[in-house]
Amino acid sequence: MNAGRGEFATRLGFILAAAGSAIGLGNIWKFPYVAGQNGGGAFVIVYLIMVFSIGLSVMLAEFAIGRAAQRNPVGAFAKLKGGAWTGVGYLGVAAGFIILSFYAVVGGWTLAYTVHTMGTLLETSDPKTLGAFFGEFTADPGSSVFYHGLFLAMTMAIVIGGVEKGIERASKFLMPVLLVLLVALCLRAVTLPGGGAGIAFFLTPDFSKIDIDTINAALGQAFFSLSLGMGALLTYGSYLSRQVHLTTAALWVTSLDTSIALLAGFLVLPAVFAFGYDPAAGPGLTFITLPAVFAQMPGGAFFGPLFFGLLSIAALTSAVSLLETAVAYFVDNRGLSRRKATAWAGIIIFALGIPSALSFGALSGQTVAGRTFFDLMDYLASNVMLPLGGIAISVFAGWTIMDRIIDEITADGAHGFPARTIWIWICRIAAPLAITWILVSGL
Ligand code: PHE
């Protein structure tokens, strides 16, 4: 173990922290609207296939690479092989900067909605009024940049606290509360009059709707939601002791992440249909429909702020893993103190996020190929950089240093690995070919 790098104290703490990285805005904000834009049920099927084949395998590879190297992504590829492979680590750290820059904007919205649902926002359940509020709020440059900065500052405060005291402690307590609240809210949403159409949309796959765009969206969403392809989970794996079964941990994290995404679908999509809203409306979907649900339910004035508060926390635990990856690089490879590393990374990400924060107002008209700066950052990171990272990680684990990785997964034979053959073939052939095909056809 590298003295002074920090380490997760317990197995449960690690699983919850990795799940905390995976579970975030990707599940609750992004999944329902991406499913809505891509035909509902058809998308969900493709998504589930991606998650439990490619996603699970890449996650296991990331945990193993991280634990084998005990380093950040750049340091890990350099230590285990070096040469051009080190570039994969840099790609990951760069993706982390880009993702956090727009992620913190949406994280800022969740903070603001925690405040606003305590005020007068829930006095109406009219989607038009709530939509107008969302539009005005996100278009206002002062508040979007302010909340973006506030969210980043909170992320930085946790990262400065270090692995065990900051990340592990926060995740352990807050994630279970979020799960219970989501289940309760789902029960309300699925019983809304007219909500059944949303459930049907979400569950009935229309296979004729599956095309390359659906598949590309599902792939990007799988990588984003599972925190894969940029080394965040690799970095968490590097803080892990050899007692932990990596296969079990990966299965847990994947299943938890998927359950929360599906729950969010059962929460948001029935509400969309019950209130006559457009499922393909995009990033505002969750922020417009959920307040309508709260406004219509008993105790909504209590559950509304509680929900957005917990969503902020789920977003924070993911943001922490994004920032931690960059910080680990600066600490391990550049010799900066944790404090300095966090400050520098935070400032750069804040600046990079400003055009994203302005993408719903001042810069909403500036588009490249129909995408605002915000959409462009999201697309570039989720649908290009993370899948590219996924190819590299699969090839690295499956071909370049396979024996070393299998020893790591099994802790030199101490832990069983029943899915070994399947995992090897997914990493060697299936994942690289499938991802390459999707990336190339998507162009
Ligand atoms: N998985 C996180 C979410 O769903 C986002 C994330 C992506 C975190 C990539 C780390 C790395 O919200």
Side-chain angles (χ1 to χ4, degrees):
M1 185 97 240
N2 256 349
R5 285 186 80 244
E7 186 177 347
F8 286 106
T10 64
R11 186 181 322 188
L12 180 68
F14 170 72
I15 291 181
L16 289 179
S21 165
I23 297 168
L25 296 171
N27 308 60
I28 295 166
W29 157 73
K30 210 174 170 196
F31 180 77
Y33 93 73
V34 176
Q37 284 174 331
N38 288 282
F43 170 85
V44 175
I45 297 275
V46 183
Y47 177 76
L48 290 176
I49 297 172
M50 296 281 182
V51 162
F52 284 98
S53 55
I54 300 179
L56 186 57
S57 307
V58 173
M59 185 180 293
L60 184 56
E62 279 208 32
F63 284 163
I65 295 171
R67 191 171 69 179
Q70 307 275 317
R71 294 270 195 289
N72 69 85
V74 175
F77 282 99
K79 179 174 171 184
L80 296 176
K81 192 71 197 179
W85 282 109
T86 312
V88 179
Y90 283 110
L91 179 77
V93 172
F97 274 88
I98 296 178
I99 294 175
L100 189 51
S101 77
F102 71 83
Y103 201 85
V105 172
V106 185
W109 298 351
T110 64
L111 293 176
Y113 265 67
T114 311
V115 176
H116 289 304
T117 47
M118 286 191 234
T120 54
L121 185 68
L122 299 183
E123 280 166 11
T124 175
S125 64
D126 171 31
K128 276 217 182 65
T129 316
L130 291 166
F133 176 84
F134 177 78
E136 274 161 36
F137 161 71
T138 51
D140 179 55
S143 59
S144 18
V145 174
F146 169 77
Y147 281 109
H148 161 61
L150 182 65
F151 183 86
L152 258 183
M154 292 168 75
T155 309
M156 291 162 70
I158 300 179
V159 169
I160 287 180
V163 175
E164 191 196 324
K165 286 211 181 67
I167 303 172
E168 186 166 347
R169 202 182 281 171
S171 313
K172 245 187 193 162
F173 165 65
L174 296 161
M175 299 319 285
V177 185
L178 178 70
L179 182 66
V180 173
L181 186 68
L182 270 177
V183 172
L185 289 175
C186 260
L187 293 179
R188 168 69 267 214
V190 297
T191 52
L192 283 170
I199 301 177
F201 174 77
F202 191 52
L203 289 188
T204 320
D206 173 357
F207 289 102
S208 70
K209 289 231 176 79
I210 299 180
D211 57 13
I212 183 65
D213 292 330
T214 320
I215 298 176
N216 193 359
L219 180 79
Q221 176 62 20
F223 272 90
F224 185 87
S225 187
L226 295 171
S227 299
L228 296 177
M230 55 141 300
L233 294 185
L234 185 159
T235 306
Y236 275 19
S238 80
Y239 299 127
L240 197 52
S241 79
R242 271 221 154 177
Q243 270 97 45
V244 176
H245 287 235
L246 295 185
T247 42
T248 320
L251 205 54
W252 265 107
V253 175
T254 307
S255 308
L256 284 171
D257 187 71
T258 308
S259 315
I260 300 273
L262 293 176
L263 270 177
F266 280 115
L267 168 58
V268 173
L269 291 168
V272 168
F273 281 80
F275 295 110
Y277 205 64
D278 174 13
L285 200 63
T286 305
F287 288 91
I288 296 167
T289 51
L290 287 190
V293 176
F294 296 124
Q296 289 223 333
M297 68 187 267
F302 171 74
F303 288 114
L306 181 65
F307 173 80
F308 282 106
L310 287 169
L311 183 56
S312 312
I313 290 155
L316 270 174
T317 55
S318 302
V320 158
S321 72
L322 288 161
L323 185 58
E324 176 64 26
T325 308
V327 166
Y329 162 69
F330 285 128
V331 171
D332 293 349
N333 286 41
R334 303 269 150 204
L336 288 191
S337 69
R338 185 165 258 283
R339 232 164 226 286
K340 269 211 180 114
T342 309
W344 275 114
I347 291 168
I348 297 170
I349 292 166
F350 176 70
L352 188 63
I354 290 177
S356 287
L358 300 179
S359 285
F360 299 84
L363 297 181
S364 61
Q366 313 295 110
T367 57
V368 181
R371 291 194 168 90
T372 60
F373 189 83
F374 177 98
D375 294 331
L376 207 60
M377 291 295 108
D378 183 9
Y379 182 80
L380 187 70
S382 315
N383 296 69
V384 181
M385 294 172 89
L386 297 185
L388 278 181
I391 297 178
I393 289 163
S394 312
V395 170
F396 190 66
W399 294 101
T400 313
I401 57 160
M402 190 194 77
D403 293 338
R404 174 87 179 77
I405 290 300
I406 291 194
D407 285 346
E408 191 57 51
I409 292 173
T410 62
D412 293 320
H415 304 159
F417 186 15
R420 174 189 167 124
T421 313
I422 305 177
W423 176 83
I424 292 175
W425 287 105
I426 291 181
C427 284
R428 292 197 147 184
I429 310 281
L433 282 187
I435 301 171
T436 307
W437 174 73
I438 296 166
L439 282 180
V440 172
S441 345
L443 290 180

